[in-house]
Amino acid sequence: MTLTVTGSINIDHVIRLPQFPRPGETLTGRDYRIVPGGKGANQAVAAARAGAVTQLVACVGDDAMAKDLVAGFAADGINTSAIDAVAGVNTGVALIQVSDAGENTIALAAGANAELIPERLERHASALHCRQLLLQLEIPLETNLAAAQIAKAQGATVVLNPAPAQTLPDTLLAMVDMITPNETEAERLTGVAVNDEAGAAAAARVLHDRGIAIVIITLGARGVWLSEAGHGRRIPGFAVQAVDTTAAGDTFNGALVAALQQGQALEPAVRFAQAAAAISVTRPGAQTSVPFRAEIEALLEQH
Ligand code: RIB
């Protein structure tokens, strides 16, 4: 059975800058590129390259790039039969600035991602008959609720990457088996500041109390906080020189669920996902940075 990702597809317009411009300031950048992105698509690509049987439920527009994007997903081995091309709208767009420090800012236009409404899921019910459903927050919230409901009713494990940060209803959280916020997202969901291990443990407790069995808070260079059955521990990451952190979280999520699909236990799956994310930050762009299984295994072997 598959890992199904329900989520966004974006065309990323990326420009590198020495630093981010201040309001009202114009800065000349370099290395402008158009790169396939979108959190849902990035996670599906990461899962497929990590070896998972993967399907993507999503929408593109009727612009010139849409067909190439879908062909790219198919080339990565992703089942694209539940990607709808929606007439009269553009594919989602992300305007991304990457600073020389490797950080980014992202401005989104949802485009076709806003057309992934619950009614569309009815036509793609077979895609939601999956082993794991991986969700993020760049599509309408009611679609995530409906997808979780359908998949959960058929026995799927529901994994939520709550990005971009927003508050969420208990109705969604109650259906989630595993959640993977970063520090900012964890604080938005719980009201607990995650500045250290004590903060991560406290935020994880709040999420456990809302019914989520496994909480994985990504802590950037400090690794991740893994909490199950109320017991938490920090798993350190890999030290690498970051050139671009875009899609590092997406790579982590896709690789994590792929490793779980392949039967790895939770902690080795987290290590596998950390290795995948570590490789991704050493490369520019979103899907252009996502590693393949052999590369991830090679890094794990070196350590
Ligand atoms: O997580 C990175 C992604 O966020 C980018 O690819 C961009 O499309 C935005 O959705």
Side-chain angles (χ1 to χ4, degrees):
M1 257 158 85
T2 60
L3 184 180
T4 294
V5 181
T6 298
S8 57
I9 296 174
N10 288 333
I11 300 167
D12 291 355
H13 293 258
V14 189
I15 189 157
R16 289 200 78 98
L17 293 154
Q19 71 275 339
F20 302 127
R22 288 166 310 198
E25 184 183 13
T26 300
L27 267 183
T28 300
R30 60 183 196 285
D31 290 344
Y32 169 71
R33 288 181 206 204
I34 299 177
V35 178
K39 291 187 192 303
N42 297 344
Q43 294 183 12
V45 167
R49 290 186 189 168
V53 180
T54 308
Q55 176 149 24
L56 176 58
V57 180
C59 288
V60 289
D62 60 2
D63 44 278
M65 268 195 76
K67 277 203 178 84
D68 289 348
L69 286 171
V70 177
F73 303 141
D76 268 315
I78 296 169
N79 180 336
T80 60
S81 60
I83 300 179
D84 287 349
V86 184
V89 293
N90 287 319
T91 301
V93 165
L95 303 181
I96 304 184
Q97 301 176 336
V98 181
S99 73
D100 282 349
E103 294 177 314
N104 64 49
T105 66
I106 303 182
L108 290 177
N113 296 316
E115 303 296 323
L116 186 56
I117 52 175
E119 291 69 49
R120 284 187 191 277
L121 298 181
E122 286 160 22
R123 274 192 280 128
H124 300 308
S126 64
L128 295 168
H129 188 212
C130 52
R131 185 183 295 177
Q132 295 123 331
L133 175 68
L134 177 55
L135 302 170
Q136 341 66 37
L137 302 174
E138 285 184 341
I139 58 169
L141 187 59
E142 57 270 27
T143 308
N144 274 330
L145 275 162
Q149 236 154 16
I150 297 166
K152 189 93 185 153
Q154 301 186 77
T157 298
V158 177
V159 181
L160 174 64
N161 173 227
Q166 65 179 76
T167 50
L168 291 171
D170 282 338
T171 41
L172 177 60
L173 296 179
M175 290 186 281
V176 171
D177 300 290
M178 182 185 298
I179 194 163
T180 59
N182 64 19
E183 292 147 302
T184 314
E185 292 149 5
E187 180 170 353
R188 180 71 73 89
L189 288 173
T190 64
V192 178
V194 180
N195 300 319
D196 51 23
E197 291 186 15
R205 270 196 300 276
V206 174
L207 291 165
H208 286 314
D209 288 347
R210 291 173 87 178
I212 303 171
I214 299 170
V215 178
I216 298 174
I217 303 176
T218 55
L219 306 170
R222 286 175 292 139
V224 308
W225 185 259
L226 169 60
S227 184
E228 33 170 356
H231 296 289
R233 58 199 179 279
R234 186 174 67 87
I235 304 179
F238 295 82
V240 287
Q241 187 66 43
V243 301
D244 182 355
T245 57
T246 310
D250 299 332
T251 302
F252 178 88
N253 278 278
L256 172 70
V257 184
L260 293 172
Q261 188 195 66
Q262 289 153 6
Q264 290 202 40
L266 191 53
E267 190 159 336
V270 167
R271 287 290 290 163
F272 182 85
Q274 287 177 305
I279 295 169
S280 81
V281 304
T282 64
R283 301 170 176 171
Q287 285 157 46
T288 43
S289 72
V290 174
F292 290 84
R293 180 174 196 88
E295 297 173 295
I296 304 167
E297 284 172 345
L299 180 62
L300 285 166
E301 242 164 60
Q302 278 168 31
H303 289 77

